[in-house]
PDB file of all heavy atoms in Angstrom:
ATOM      1  N   ARG A 105     -21.655  -4.767 -17.495  1.00  0.00           N
ATOM      2  CA  ARG A 105     -22.305  -3.391 -17.458  1.00  0.00           C
ATOM      3  C   ARG A 105     -21.671  -2.445 -16.444  1.00  0.00           C
ATOM      4  O   ARG A 105     -21.377  -1.307 -16.929  1.00  0.00           O
ATOM      5  CB  ARG A 105     -23.778  -3.595 -17.266  1.00  0.00           C
ATOM      6  CG  ARG A 105     -24.550  -2.130 -17.217  1.00  0.00           C
ATOM      7  CD  ARG A 105     -24.395  -1.439 -18.604  1.00  0.00           C
ATOM      8  NE  ARG A 105     -24.975  -0.186 -18.580  1.00  0.00           N
ATOM      9  CZ  ARG A 105     -26.331   0.016 -18.886  1.00  0.00           C
ATOM     10  NH1 ARG A 105     -27.085  -1.013 -19.294  1.00  0.00           N
ATOM     11  NH2 ARG A 105     -26.823   1.249 -18.828  1.00  0.00           N
ATOM     12  N   TYR A 106     -21.496  -2.893 -15.270  1.00  0.00           N
ATOM     13  CA  TYR A 106     -20.883  -2.017 -14.218  1.00  0.00           C
ATOM     14  C   TYR A 106     -19.480  -1.627 -14.714  1.00  0.00           C
ATOM     15  O   TYR A 106     -18.936  -0.503 -14.408  1.00  0.00           O
ATOM     16  CB  TYR A 106     -20.870  -2.643 -12.840  1.00  0.00           C
ATOM     17  CG  TYR A 106     -22.197  -2.667 -12.166  1.00  0.00           C
ATOM     18  CD1 TYR A 106     -22.893  -3.776 -11.864  1.00  0.00           C
ATOM     19  CD2 TYR A 106     -22.769  -1.297 -11.869  1.00  0.00           C
ATOM     20  CE1 TYR A 106     -24.065  -3.751 -11.201  1.00  0.00           C
ATOM     21  CE2 TYR A 106     -24.038  -1.351 -11.244  1.00  0.00           C
ATOM     22  CZ  TYR A 106     -24.718  -2.562 -10.841  1.00  0.00           C
ATOM     23  OH  TYR A 106     -25.853  -2.625 -10.252  1.00  0.00           O
ATOM     24  N   TYR A 107     -18.805  -2.548 -15.198  1.00  0.00           N
ATOM     25  CA  TYR A 107     -17.389  -2.273 -15.675  1.00  0.00           C
ATOM     26  C   TYR A 107     -17.335  -1.184 -16.808  1.00  0.00           C
ATOM     27  O   TYR A 107     -16.450  -0.268 -16.825  1.00  0.00           O
ATOM     28  CB  TYR A 107     -16.655  -3.482 -16.025  1.00  0.00           C
ATOM     29  CG  TYR A 107     -15.202  -3.302 -16.488  1.00  0.00           C
ATOM     30  CD1 TYR A 107     -14.226  -2.806 -15.676  1.00  0.00           C
ATOM     31  CD2 TYR A 107     -14.773  -3.657 -17.920  1.00  0.00           C
ATOM     32  CE1 TYR A 107     -12.955  -2.620 -16.091  1.00  0.00           C
ATOM     33  CE2 TYR A 107     -13.495  -3.424 -18.315  1.00  0.00           C
ATOM     34  CZ  TYR A 107     -12.647  -2.924 -17.401  1.00  0.00           C
ATOM     35  OH  TYR A 107     -11.271  -2.741 -17.819  1.00  0.00           O
ATOM     36  N   ASP A 108     -18.260  -1.390 -17.711  1.00  0.00           N
ATOM     37  CA  ASP A 108     -18.325  -0.390 -18.764  1.00  0.00           C
ATOM     38  C   ASP A 108     -18.643   1.087 -18.266  1.00  0.00           C
ATOM     39  O   ASP A 108     -18.182   2.041 -18.779  1.00  0.00           O
ATOM     40  CB  ASP A 108     -19.412  -0.789 -19.918  1.00  0.00           C
ATOM     41  CG  ASP A 108     -18.886  -1.954 -20.578  1.00  0.00           C
ATOM     42  OD1 ASP A 108     -17.742  -2.307 -20.599  1.00  0.00           O
ATOM     43  OD2 ASP A 108     -19.743  -2.796 -21.225  1.00  0.00           O
ATOM     44  N   ASP A 109     -19.643   1.082 -17.313  1.00  0.00           N
ATOM     45  CA  ASP A 109     -19.907   2.380 -16.776  1.00  0.00           C
ATOM     46  C   ASP A 109     -18.723   2.975 -15.948  1.00  0.00           C
ATOM     47  O   ASP A 109     -18.589   4.175 -16.010  1.00  0.00           O
ATOM     48  CB  ASP A 109     -21.097   2.125 -15.659  1.00  0.00           C
ATOM     49  CG  ASP A 109     -22.382   1.744 -16.293  1.00  0.00           C
ATOM     50  OD1 ASP A 109     -22.587   1.951 -17.515  1.00  0.00           O
ATOM     51  OD2 ASP A 109     -23.239   1.191 -15.617  1.00  0.00           O
ATOM     52  N   PHE A 110     -17.976   2.158 -15.343  1.00  0.00           N
ATOM     53  CA  PHE A 110     -16.726   2.591 -14.655  1.00  0.00           C
ATOM     54  C   PHE A 110     -15.754   3.233 -15.753  1.00  0.00           C
ATOM     55  O   PHE A 110     -15.166   4.341 -15.565  1.00  0.00           O
ATOM     56  CB  PHE A 110     -15.952   1.517 -13.968  1.00  0.00           C
ATOM     57  CG  PHE A 110     -14.563   1.778 -13.667  1.00  0.00           C
ATOM     58  CD1 PHE A 110     -14.172   2.772 -12.671  1.00  0.00           C
ATOM     59  CD2 PHE A 110     -13.564   1.096 -14.268  1.00  0.00           C
ATOM     60  CE1 PHE A 110     -12.850   2.996 -12.501  1.00  0.00           C
ATOM     61  CE2 PHE A 110     -12.133   1.268 -14.095  1.00  0.00           C
ATOM     62  CZ  PHE A 110     -11.930   2.322 -13.041  1.00  0.00           C
ATOM     63  N   LEU A 111     -15.647   2.464 -16.849  1.00  0.00           N
ATOM     64  CA  LEU A 111     -14.787   3.097 -17.927  1.00  0.00           C
ATOM     65  C   LEU A 111     -15.215   4.399 -18.539  1.00  0.00           C
ATOM     66  O   LEU A 111     -14.455   5.314 -18.775  1.00  0.00           O
ATOM     67  CB  LEU A 111     -14.595   2.123 -19.016  1.00  0.00           C
ATOM     68  CG  LEU A 111     -13.854   0.714 -18.722  1.00  0.00           C
ATOM     69  CD1 LEU A 111     -13.909  -0.172 -19.881  1.00  0.00           C
ATOM     70  CD2 LEU A 111     -12.381   0.899 -18.232  1.00  0.00           C
ATOM     71  N   GLU A 112     -16.473   4.471 -18.657  1.00  0.00           N
ATOM     72  CA  GLU A 112     -17.081   5.724 -19.116  1.00  0.00           C
ATOM     73  C   GLU A 112     -16.810   6.883 -18.061  1.00  0.00           C
ATOM     74  O   GLU A 112     -16.632   8.015 -18.410  1.00  0.00           O
ATOM     75  CB  GLU A 112     -18.583   5.486 -19.342  1.00  0.00           C
ATOM     76  CG  GLU A 112     -19.254   6.779 -19.948  1.00  0.00           C
ATOM     77  CD  GLU A 112     -20.710   6.439 -20.322  1.00  0.00           C
ATOM     78  OE1 GLU A 112     -21.139   5.391 -20.156  1.00  0.00           O
ATOM     79  OE2 GLU A 112     -21.403   7.474 -20.637  1.00  0.00           O
ATOM     80  N   LEU A 113     -17.098   6.518 -16.889  1.00  0.00           N
ATOM     81  CA  LEU A 113     -16.856   7.544 -15.735  1.00  0.00           C
ATOM     82  C   LEU A 113     -15.335   7.999 -15.740  1.00  0.00           C
ATOM     83  O   LEU A 113     -15.102   9.178 -15.620  1.00  0.00           O
ATOM     84  CB  LEU A 113     -17.168   6.916 -14.296  1.00  0.00           C
ATOM     85  CG  LEU A 113     -16.793   7.728 -13.134  1.00  0.00           C
ATOM     86  CD1 LEU A 113     -17.660   9.044 -13.061  1.00  0.00           C
ATOM     87  CD2 LEU A 113     -17.031   6.946 -11.842  1.00  0.00           C
ATOM     88  N   ARG A 114     -14.458   7.000 -15.928  1.00  0.00           N
ATOM     89  CA  ARG A 114     -13.013   7.489 -15.836  1.00  0.00           C
ATOM     90  C   ARG A 114     -12.693   8.308 -17.011  1.00  0.00           C
ATOM     91  O   ARG A 114     -11.953   9.388 -16.854  1.00  0.00           O
ATOM     92  CB  ARG A 114     -12.167   6.193 -15.823  1.00  0.00           C
ATOM     93  CG  ARG A 114     -10.744   6.487 -15.607  1.00  0.00           C
ATOM     94  CD  ARG A 114      -9.964   5.254 -15.362  1.00  0.00           C
ATOM     95  NE  ARG A 114      -9.930   4.263 -16.450  1.00  0.00           N
ATOM     96  CZ  ARG A 114      -9.340   3.108 -16.432  1.00  0.00           C
ATOM     97  NH1 ARG A 114      -8.722   2.523 -15.288  1.00  0.00           N
ATOM     98  NH2 ARG A 114      -9.311   2.241 -17.513  1.00  0.00           N
ATOM     99  N   GLU A 115     -13.221   7.918 -18.195  1.00  0.00           N
ATOM    100  CA  GLU A 115     -12.926   8.771 -19.348  1.00  0.00           C
ATOM    101  C   GLU A 115     -13.515  10.203 -19.285  1.00  0.00           C
ATOM    102  O   GLU A 115     -12.892  11.084 -19.718  1.00  0.00           O
ATOM    103  CB  GLU A 115     -13.388   8.136 -20.582  1.00  0.00           C
ATOM    104  CG  GLU A 115     -12.989   8.687 -21.957  1.00  0.00           C
ATOM    105  CD  GLU A 115     -11.458   8.650 -22.261  1.00  0.00           C
ATOM    106  OE1 GLU A 115     -10.915   7.782 -21.598  1.00  0.00           O
ATOM    107  OE2 GLU A 115     -11.072   9.497 -22.945  1.00  0.00           O
ATOM    108  N   GLU A 116     -14.712  10.227 -18.681  1.00  0.00           N
ATOM    109  CA  GLU A 116     -15.276  11.608 -18.536  1.00  0.00           C
ATOM    110  C   GLU A 116     -14.450  12.367 -17.582  1.00  0.00           C
ATOM    111  O   GLU A 116     -14.350  13.602 -17.875  1.00  0.00           O
ATOM    112  CB  GLU A 116     -16.753  11.363 -17.970  1.00  0.00           C
ATOM    113  CG  GLU A 116     -17.520  12.696 -17.742  1.00  0.00           C
ATOM    114  CD  GLU A 116     -18.913  12.463 -17.116  1.00  0.00           C
ATOM    115  OE1 GLU A 116     -19.285  11.309 -17.084  1.00  0.00           O
ATOM    116  OE2 GLU A 116     -19.550  13.475 -16.853  1.00  0.00           O
ATOM    117  N   MET A 117     -13.951  11.803 -16.554  1.00  0.00           N
ATOM    118  CA  MET A 117     -13.099  12.630 -15.588  1.00  0.00           C
ATOM    119  C   MET A 117     -11.860  13.087 -16.234  1.00  0.00           C
ATOM    120  O   MET A 117     -11.369  14.153 -16.049  1.00  0.00           O
ATOM    121  CB  MET A 117     -12.850  11.788 -14.327  1.00  0.00           C
ATOM    122  CG  MET A 117     -14.130  11.425 -13.620  1.00  0.00           C
ATOM    123  SD  MET A 117     -13.829  10.550 -12.046  1.00  0.00           S
ATOM    124  CE  MET A 117     -13.233  11.907 -11.063  1.00  0.00           C
ATOM    125  N   ILE A 118     -11.291  12.226 -17.067  1.00  0.00           N
ATOM    126  CA  ILE A 118      -9.983  12.571 -17.783  1.00  0.00           C
ATOM    127  C   ILE A 118     -10.349  13.706 -18.750  1.00  0.00           C
ATOM    128  O   ILE A 118      -9.590  14.751 -18.771  1.00  0.00           O
ATOM    129  CB  ILE A 118      -9.574  11.380 -18.584  1.00  0.00           C
ATOM    130  CG1 ILE A 118      -9.034  10.263 -17.647  1.00  0.00           C
ATOM    131  CG2 ILE A 118      -8.341  11.801 -19.533  1.00  0.00           C
ATOM    132  CD1 ILE A 118      -8.540   8.996 -18.288  1.00  0.00           C
ATOM    133  N   MET A 119     -11.241  13.601 -19.549  1.00  0.00           N
ATOM    134  CA  MET A 119     -11.663  14.713 -20.387  1.00  0.00           C
ATOM    135  C   MET A 119     -12.095  15.977 -19.836  1.00  0.00           C
ATOM    136  O   MET A 119     -11.753  17.008 -20.350  1.00  0.00           O
ATOM    137  CB  MET A 119     -12.745  14.235 -21.392  1.00  0.00           C
ATOM    138  CG  MET A 119     -12.344  13.165 -22.345  1.00  0.00           C
ATOM    139  SD  MET A 119     -10.776  13.302 -23.097  1.00  0.00           S
ATOM    140  CE  MET A 119     -10.996  14.713 -24.037  1.00  0.00           C
ATOM    141  N   ASN A 120     -12.624  15.834 -18.590  1.00  0.00           N
ATOM    142  CA  ASN A 120     -12.843  17.113 -17.814  1.00  0.00           C
ATOM    143  C   ASN A 120     -11.664  18.000 -17.452  1.00  0.00           C
ATOM    144  O   ASN A 120     -11.595  19.124 -17.556  1.00  0.00           O
ATOM    145  CB  ASN A 120     -13.619  16.855 -16.468  1.00  0.00           C
ATOM    146  CG  ASN A 120     -15.156  16.515 -16.818  1.00  0.00           C
ATOM    147  OD1 ASN A 120     -15.681  16.863 -17.887  1.00  0.00           O
ATOM    148  ND2 ASN A 120     -15.820  15.908 -15.770  1.00  0.00           N
ATOM    149  N   LEU A 121     -10.659  17.125 -17.154  1.00  0.00           N
ATOM    150  CA  LEU A 121      -9.309  17.707 -16.800  1.00  0.00           C
ATOM    151  C   LEU A 121      -8.568  18.140 -18.059  1.00  0.00           C
ATOM    152  O   LEU A 121      -7.989  19.258 -18.055  1.00  0.00           O
ATOM    153  CB  LEU A 121      -8.402  16.711 -15.982  1.00  0.00           C
ATOM    154  CG  LEU A 121      -9.046  16.309 -14.630  1.00  0.00           C
ATOM    155  CD1 LEU A 121      -8.093  15.247 -14.033  1.00  0.00           C
ATOM    156  CD2 LEU A 121      -9.139  17.489 -13.756  1.00  0.00           C
ATOM    157  N   VAL A 122      -8.649  17.495 -19.030  1.00  0.00           N
ATOM    158  CA  VAL A 122      -8.067  17.742 -20.358  1.00  0.00           C
ATOM    159  C   VAL A 122      -8.613  19.064 -20.974  1.00  0.00           C
ATOM    160  O   VAL A 122      -7.888  20.045 -21.296  1.00  0.00           O
ATOM    161  CB  VAL A 122      -8.040  16.688 -21.382  1.00  0.00           C
ATOM    162  CG1 VAL A 122      -7.589  17.115 -22.739  1.00  0.00           C
ATOM    163  CG2 VAL A 122      -7.323  15.500 -20.937  1.00  0.00           C
ATOM    164  N   LEU A 123      -9.881  19.228 -21.030  1.00  0.00           N
ATOM    165  CA  LEU A 123     -10.604  20.280 -21.523  1.00  0.00           C
ATOM    166  C   LEU A 123     -10.819  21.408 -20.521  1.00  0.00           C
ATOM    167  O   LEU A 123     -11.439  22.433 -20.831  1.00  0.00           O
ATOM    168  CB  LEU A 123     -11.967  19.903 -22.118  1.00  0.00           C
ATOM    169  CG  LEU A 123     -11.879  18.764 -23.161  1.00  0.00           C
ATOM    170  CD1 LEU A 123     -13.240  18.362 -23.643  1.00  0.00           C
ATOM    171  CD2 LEU A 123     -11.036  19.375 -24.392  1.00  0.00           C
ATOM    172  N   ARG A 124     -10.300  21.238 -19.310  1.00  0.00           N
ATOM    173  CA  ARG A 124     -10.531  22.244 -18.246  1.00  0.00           C
ATOM    174  C   ARG A 124     -11.954  22.556 -17.979  1.00  0.00           C
ATOM    175  O   ARG A 124     -12.432  23.776 -17.831  1.00  0.00           O
ATOM    176  CB  ARG A 124      -9.858  23.527 -18.581  1.00  0.00           C
ATOM    177  CG  ARG A 124      -8.302  23.352 -18.670  1.00  0.00           C
ATOM    178  CD  ARG A 124      -7.629  24.723 -18.887  1.00  0.00           C
ATOM    179  NE  ARG A 124      -6.152  24.529 -18.767  1.00  0.00           N
ATOM    180  CZ  ARG A 124      -5.187  24.227 -19.743  1.00  0.00           C
ATOM    181  NH1 ARG A 124      -5.830  23.997 -20.980  1.00  0.00           N
ATOM    182  NH2 ARG A 124      -3.987  24.162 -19.506  1.00  0.00           N
ATOM    183  N   THR A 125     -12.750  21.434 -17.857  1.00  0.00           N
ATOM    184  CA  THR A 125     -14.130  21.636 -17.496  1.00  0.00           C
ATOM    185  C   THR A 125     -14.462  20.947 -16.195  1.00  0.00           C
ATOM    186  O   THR A 125     -14.120  19.847 -15.833  1.00  0.00           O
ATOM    187  CB  THR A 125     -15.070  20.779 -18.551  1.00  0.00           C
ATOM    188  OG1 THR A 125     -14.770  21.373 -19.819  1.00  0.00           O
ATOM    189  CG2 THR A 125     -16.503  20.982 -18.307  1.00  0.00           C
ATOM    190  N   ASP A 126     -14.974  21.710 -15.270  1.00  0.00           N
ATOM    191  CA  ASP A 126     -15.326  21.246 -13.828  1.00  0.00           C
ATOM    192  C   ASP A 126     -14.038  20.632 -13.280  1.00  0.00           C
ATOM    193  O   ASP A 126     -13.943  19.520 -12.541  1.00  0.00           O
ATOM    194  CB  ASP A 126     -16.387  20.213 -13.829  1.00  0.00           C
ATOM    195  CG  ASP A 126     -17.740  20.722 -14.333  1.00  0.00           C
ATOM    196  OD1 ASP A 126     -17.927  21.948 -14.082  1.00  0.00           O
ATOM    197  OD2 ASP A 126     -18.523  19.969 -14.833  1.00  0.00           O
ATOM    198  N   VAL A 127     -12.874  21.335 -13.309  1.00  0.00           N
ATOM    199  CA  VAL A 127     -11.619  20.800 -12.910  1.00  0.00           C
ATOM    200  C   VAL A 127     -11.686  20.665 -11.285  1.00  0.00           C
ATOM    201  O   VAL A 127     -11.258  19.725 -10.837  1.00  0.00           O
ATOM    202  CB  VAL A 127     -10.460  21.796 -13.319  1.00  0.00           C
ATOM    203  CG1 VAL A 127      -9.244  21.268 -12.717  1.00  0.00           C
ATOM    204  CG2 VAL A 127     -10.350  21.901 -14.786  1.00  0.00           C
ATOM    205  N   ALA A 128     -12.140  21.753 -10.614  1.00  0.00           N
ATOM    206  CA  ALA A 128     -12.108  21.620  -9.230  1.00  0.00           C
ATOM    207  C   ALA A 128     -12.956  20.513  -8.697  1.00  0.00           C
ATOM    208  O   ALA A 128     -12.638  19.705  -7.774  1.00  0.00           O
ATOM    209  CB  ALA A 128     -12.637  22.982  -8.598  1.00  0.00           C
ATOM    210  N   ALA A 129     -14.227  20.281  -9.303  1.00  0.00           N
ATOM    211  CA  ALA A 129     -15.046  19.229  -8.759  1.00  0.00           C
ATOM    212  C   ALA A 129     -14.465  17.823  -9.153  1.00  0.00           C
ATOM    213  O   ALA A 129     -14.500  16.984  -8.325  1.00  0.00           O
ATOM    214  CB  ALA A 129     -16.416  19.270  -9.469  1.00  0.00           C
ATOM    215  N   THR A 130     -13.864  17.779 -10.385  1.00  0.00           N
ATOM    216  CA  THR A 130     -13.271  16.514 -10.744  1.00  0.00           C
ATOM    217  C   THR A 130     -12.075  16.178  -9.813  1.00  0.00           C
ATOM    218  O   THR A 130     -11.907  14.999  -9.387  1.00  0.00           O
ATOM    219  CB  THR A 130     -12.701  16.508 -12.196  1.00  0.00           C
ATOM    220  OG1 THR A 130     -13.817  16.848 -13.026  1.00  0.00           O
ATOM    221  CG2 THR A 130     -12.152  15.208 -12.606  1.00  0.00           C
ATOM    222  N   ASN A 131     -11.193  17.119  -9.532  1.00  0.00           N
ATOM    223  CA  ASN A 131     -10.095  16.915  -8.625  1.00  0.00           C
ATOM    224  C   ASN A 131     -10.447  16.493  -7.227  1.00  0.00           C
ATOM    225  O   ASN A 131      -9.901  15.667  -6.488  1.00  0.00           O
ATOM    226  CB  ASN A 131      -9.122  18.037  -8.596  1.00  0.00           C
ATOM    227  CG  ASN A 131      -8.208  18.193  -9.813  1.00  0.00           C
ATOM    228  OD1 ASN A 131      -7.832  17.107 -10.310  1.00  0.00           O
ATOM    229  ND2 ASN A 131      -7.909  19.412 -10.183  1.00  0.00           N
TER     230      ASN A 131
END
Side-chain angles (χ1 to χ4, degrees):
R105 175 60 183 272
Y106 281 122
Y107 180 62
D108 291 341
D109 292 342
F110 160 71
L111 295 179
E112 183 178 353
L113 171 66
R114 187 169 66 181
E115 186 65 22
E116 180 182 351
M117 299 182 77
I118 290 174
M119 295 313 298
N120 284 345
L121 297 176
V122 171
L123 302 177
R124 294 184 172 90
T125 304
D126 296 332
V127 175
T130 303
N131 281 328

